[in-house]
Amino acid sequence: MDYQVNEKGYYGDFGGAYIPEMMYPNIEELRKRYLEIMEEPSFKAEFDQLMKDYVGRPSPLYLAKRLSERYGAKIFLKREDLNHTGAHKINNTIGQILLAKRLGKNRIIAETGAGQHGVATATVCALMGLECVVYMGEIDMARQAPNVARMKMMGAEVRPAVSGSKTLKDATNEAMRDWISNPVDTHYIIGSVVGPHPYPDMVARFQSIISAETKKQLLEQTGSENPDIVIACVGGGSNAMGMFYHYLNEEGVRLIAAEAAGKGVDSGESAATSVLGKEGVLHGSRTILMQTDDGQVVEPYSISAGLDYPGIGPQHAFLHKIGRAEYVSITDEEAMQAGLLLTRLEGIIPAIESAHALAQLEKMTFRGNEQVVVCLSGRGDKDLDNYMKYFGF
Amino acid sequence: MSRIKKLFKEKEGSKLLSIYYTAGYPKLNDTLEIARQLAASGADFLEIGFPYSDPVADGPTIQHSSEQALKNGMTVKLLFEQLKDLRQYTDIPVLLMGYVNPLLQYGVEHFCQSCAEVGVDGIIVPDLPVYEYESLYKDIFARYGLSNIFLITPQTSEERVRQIDELTTGFIYMVSSASTTGNKLDVDTSLANYFNRVKSLALKNPLVMGFGIRGKEQFDQALEYADAAIIGSEFVKLLDKEDYLDRIPTFIADIKGLPISV
Ligand SMILES: Cc1ncc(COP(=O)(O)O)c(C=O)c1O
């Protein structure tokens, strides 16, 4: 079975490039050139070197003993939280900034929700000396003030998105409008496997380093490349797609994607797109999104700003539809408890996003020694305030 | 002959003006009344926007009107109900403009059918790309005799402009500059070069310029290069005034440089 994008930019019925003509030349340039650039030896060498010496890869694959005991399975954590800037987002921004340079762009724009992607973008712009503008919903800027400060310290301009609901989807709209108005010198670094083709494929390829490393590390540690189960959280879906990538064709490996149910899928305050969404077009691709009967995008809710997105990437929509991956819903409460549990059992404070993946362990019954890899997409430093408030510490 | 074809044929050489406004703004049920007043005041054709929550090609003015229209309760279904008697009021071409997702949810075939029923002549959907239109929807549009209008920009290659010209059965929407809606058109040499370049291609479809046309000055400038021009944001701003229906005749007369006709 082929799970990858076809030459027209589609995964089954999903994907494509539903963009206004004003964005077409940029998207077309990217589409024509991204694979060829990514294959260049000089690109690969620079990417690999930065991944190793700047990001700190390979990120460890850690056998979490006490967590394993508790659940009666062999649980490995893929430690993306130990990357520079604290999440998997940097894998993508390094890749895209190197690409942008080769396209001759000197100005970078990005959208951000929790601020992790914004920080990762501001970081690589500082590294490469490029101008950087990050759009962030006005409400998110207030919710995630420390990340706003980090971006500013890095020299990025953070522009509040004041339209619509003033959160991630509106920041994405603003970034697209900026690109429409700056069609020549600017590259838009999208932060997840969303957006028009070729973004979902390009971002998945940059993030696929997660599963490439996992295979190697698992082979070393257990004698087999393949675990029984892989679990990752899904906002737009980039850490999950990176974690799934090299396992897609290993049909024996169960792939589980944890979506944010917020206060419960039926509560009206949720971000569980695969349950609540319908097929349509969001931010340039045909996918599953939360919307009204009239096709208006519905504002999602999750305690985790990074999962608070009304759609999922088109490849996820495809994997969901054909049943290659399972999409599960995790509530705020379940995620917060799982975050606390990991902290107390292993001394690792996970990002609340990643805690959604951990919470799935609680819902499963293991036969005994199954091997499970959970993608720990980010660290919880940015969420300390939230944890404190939630548990009343 | 379609109303659009007829208009450009019969009025060739005269300065044609199209007005865009968002259905359901500022009041939910004035859509038809505004259309009637615009037509009576001398607008040559109309674009009625069906609002969307995430209009990426639009600037603040049309974003705001869309948001407010949605709050008022505007839907695609309601729009077609409002337009039921359109053709009793006016015979000028009317197009609907909006984003692809509401159209997909209503159903493309259903949408085209409803357009044909109420007498809408064409559709402008900025985020419906050429490839998807051609492979999935072209036949449906044709079956209902609807024009699908594509946009071109200063960055659109000649090859692509020609491809779009081949696919088009109404007019080509020439976006005036690299911008979302609502900025002010400022024709510098590079824009003039773009306009002249497109004009020199001698396309089979008429050229209609939009984005950034605010008043008579830009309208006249646009008409040096195009067969017609569209005013959107500036008209939507007029709708913020209490007595907007009464102000429409003067607005149109000022732009066209004609005596007030109502
Ligand atoms: C730590 C972490 N995990 C996950 C996500 C969700 O993004 P994605 O689904 O693209 O991996 C975010 C987004 O901000 C994040 O910061």
Side-chain angles (χ1 to χ4, degrees):
Chain A
M1 178 89 201
D2 190 358
Y3 301 108
Q4 298 302 344
V5 76
N6 69 20
E7 75 282 3
K8 295 292 183 196
Y10 278 84
Y11 307 87
D13 293 336
F14 300 108
Y18 291 77
I19 45 164
E21 187 63 26
M22 293 81 103
M23 278 170 69
Y24 179 83
N26 272 318
I27 294 293
E28 184 63 7
E29 179 184 35
L30 208 55
R31 188 187 68 80
K32 281 193 178 140
R33 299 205 48 204
Y34 80 111
L35 288 178
E36 146 211 327
I37 291 177
M38 287 174 72
E39 292 301 319
E40 278 170 18
S42 73
F43 180 95
K44 283 186 168 166
E46 207 177 344
F47 182 76
D48 291 348
Q49 185 256 322
L50 284 170
M51 281 296 148
K52 177 167 167 287
D53 300 334
Y54 187 72
V55 177
R57 304 201 71 96
S59 67
L61 183 72
Y62 166 67
L63 173 59
K65 287 223 179 66
R66 297 186 67 207
L67 200 67
S68 297
E69 264 166 37
R70 167 158 176 132
Y71 290 118
K74 231 176 156 183
I75 297 165
F76 295 85
L77 303 177
K78 182 58 176 162
R79 298 290 308 273
E80 294 300 301
D81 60 314
L82 293 176
N83 292 340
H84 179 42
T85 70
H88 66 293
K89 298 282 181 188
I90 191 96
N91 303 330
N92 170 43
T93 60
I94 295 260
Q96 285 203 49
I97 199 99
L98 295 178
L99 205 121
K101 278 195 358 183
R102 280 161 177 80
L103 293 172
K105 308 288 182 176
N106 53 32
R107 181 174 176 271
I108 299 295
I109 56 173
E111 85 295 337
T112 196
Q116 285 305 107
H117 174 60
V119 167
T121 303
T123 300
V124 296
C125 286
L127 181 68
M128 298 293 165
L130 296 187
E131 184 186 343
C132 179
V133 175
V134 179
Y135 290 90
M136 188 168 186
E138 201 173 41
I139 290 178
D140 289 335
M141 283 181 74
R143 284 201 284 195
Q144 309 283 334
N147 274 342
V148 175
R150 291 166 82 196
M151 287 185 263
K152 286 187 176 164
M153 177 133 181
M154 228 80 76
E157 182 190 343
V158 185
R159 290 193 192 156
V162 295
S163 59
S165 52
K166 305 179 177 58
T167 58
L168 178 56
K169 88 176 167 67
D170 308 285
T172 308
N173 294 340
E174 287 305 328
M176 288 175 137
R177 289 181 188 121
D178 181 310
W179 213 14
I180 285 172
S181 304
N182 296 283
V184 180
D185 65 339
T186 298
H187 175 70
Y188 176 19
I189 301 191
I190 292 185
S192 192
V193 285
V194 301
H197 178 67
Y199 277 104
D201 183 50
M202 182 173 70
V203 177
R205 283 169 187 263
F206 288 136
Q207 292 293 1
S208 70
I209 193 167
I210 299 174
S211 48
E213 286 176 4
T214 302
K215 276 194 154 183
K216 258 189 165 158
Q217 292 165 319
L218 211 56
L219 181 65
E220 278 166 23
Q221 293 183 33
T222 70
S224 162
E225 285 189 333
N226 294 352
D228 299 296
I229 301 165
V230 161
I231 308 174
C233 69
V234 176
S238 66
N239 86 89
M241 203 43 72
M243 188 73 245
F244 292 174
Y245 200 90
H246 292 288
Y247 289 120
L248 286 171
N249 288 313
E250 311 280 5
E251 304 284 344
V253 180
R254 258 180 92 184
L255 308 176
I256 302 179
E259 292 182 325
K263 297 183 178 165
V265 281
D266 299 321
S267 67
E269 291 181 80
S270 178
T273 304
S274 72
V275 183
L276 299 169
K278 281 184 306 196
E279 292 182 19
V281 168
L282 178 67
H283 293 141
S285 73
R286 202 181 262 248
T287 186
I288 305 173
L289 63 136
M290 291 166 58
Q291 54 182 315
T292 65
D293 290 342
D294 192 43
Q296 309 301 336
V297 183
V298 166
E299 187 57 24
Y301 162 82
S302 163
I303 192 167
S304 126
L307 303 184
D308 201 355
Y309 185 70
I312 49 175
Q315 194 170 11
H316 282 292
F318 177 61
L319 297 177
H320 171 68
K321 190 163 182 175
I322 62 172
R324 174 63 188 100
E326 301 157 51
Y327 290 75
V328 299
S329 313
I330 302 295
T331 63
D332 288 356
E333 167 69 10
E334 290 162 343
M336 296 305 273
Q337 292 299 344
L340 184 59
L341 185 73
L342 185 74
T343 310
R344 296 288 162 92
L345 286 182
E346 300 286 347
I348 299 170
I349 304 176
I352 298 176
E353 289 81 6
S354 322
H356 283 73
L358 293 163
Q360 175 60 16
L361 294 168
E362 192 77 38
K363 302 196 155 181
M364 302 179 69
T365 39
F366 298 101
R367 276 178 274 111
N369 265 348
E370 279 130 313
Q371 306 210 4
V372 183
V373 177
V374 179
C375 186
L376 204 66
S377 57
R379 68 178 83 130
D381 304 29
K382 70 181 175 63
D383 297 316
L384 280 183
D385 246 19
N386 253 324
Y387 278 126
M388 293 286 125
K389 276 196 203 113
Y390 195 86
F391 292 111
F393 292 147
Chain B
M1 195 189 303
S2 79
R3 286 186 199 91
I4 298 174
K5 272 221 172 83
K6 206 163 139 220
L7 172 73
F8 284 100
K9 197 163 172 219
E10 287 176 359
K11 294 211 180 173
E12 205 190 328
S14 60
K15 294 185 165 187
L16 297 178
L17 171 64
S18 174
I19 296 290
Y20 166 93
Y21 64 100
T22 308
Y25 178 83
K27 294 186 191 146
L28 181 59
N29 288 314
D30 253 1
T31 311
L32 200 51
E33 193 53 29
I34 294 171
R36 191 193 57 74
Q37 184 74 330
L38 280 168
S41 304
D44 298 290
F45 56 112
L46 302 180
E47 282 152 49
I48 303 178
F50 49 100
Y52 178 49
S53 53
D54 296 77
V56 290
D58 286 301
T61 303
I62 293 178
Q63 284 173 41
H64 170 74
S65 67
S66 306
E67 215 175 307
Q68 189 56 46
L70 290 173
K71 276 190 196 143
N72 290 348
M74 196 65 215
T75 64
V76 171
K77 187 163 172 278
L78 178 60
L79 177 59
F80 284 120
E81 281 164 25
Q82 291 177 343
L83 295 179
K84 198 163 45 80
D85 298 326
L86 171 70
R87 289 305 168 199
Q88 292 173 18
Y89 286 87
T90 176
D91 207 34
I92 66 174
V94 173
L95 296 99
L96 299 187
M97 182 164 186
Y99 291 82
V100 72
N101 197 51
L103 192 131
L104 291 177
Q105 301 314 314
Y106 190 82
V108 175
E109 171 118 32
H110 188 199
F111 196 96
C112 291
Q113 190 184 1
S114 298
C115 284
E117 275 166 18
V118 301
V120 161
D121 304 286
I123 310 181
I124 309 173
V125 186
D127 59 346
L128 176 59
V130 172
Y131 166 73
E132 278 73 12
Y133 171 71
E134 203 172 6
S135 54
L136 299 173
Y137 304 125
K138 191 177 148 201
D139 294 345
I140 304 176
F141 275 61
R143 210 174 320 132
Y144 291 95
L146 281 179
S147 297
N148 182 43
I149 307 300
F150 289 103
L151 277 53
I152 62 170
T153 81
Q155 276 73 38
T156 309
S157 68
E158 174 175 341
E159 183 192 353
R160 190 164 165 87
V161 173
R162 293 209 180 276
Q163 183 194 4
I164 285 171
D165 192 38
E166 277 309 308
L167 267 181
T168 299
T169 55
F171 59 84
I172 289 179
Y173 195 134
M174 182 157 70
V175 175
S176 67
S177 58
S179 169
T180 50
T181 55
N183 276 334
K184 190 169 166 189
L185 175 62
D186 181 12
V187 184
D188 58 13
T189 42
S190 89
L191 271 192
N193 285 343
Y194 152 61
F195 298 153
N196 281 321
R197 176 168 61 84
V198 176
K199 202 173 163 183
S200 73
L201 296 177
L203 302 173
K204 67 182 173 75
N205 288 285
L207 285 171
V208 176
M209 200 186 295
F211 286 41
I213 320 268
R214 290 196 172 172
K216 182 165 173 45
E217 187 191 334
Q218 291 97 23
F219 179 70
D220 288 344
Q221 262 181 341
L223 268 292
E224 286 173 32
Y225 307 96
D227 302 288
I230 304 168
I231 297 191
S233 298
E234 208 57 28
F235 181 74
V236 171
K237 283 185 202 158
L238 177 92
L239 297 176
D240 290 335
K241 308 253 164 56
E242 190 69 31
D243 51 347
Y244 54 85
L245 285 176
D246 296 337
R247 287 173 184 259
I248 289 175
T250 321
F251 182 88
I252 301 294
D254 282 352
I255 289 161
K256 294 191 83 173
L258 296 171
I260 297 171
S261 64
V262 176

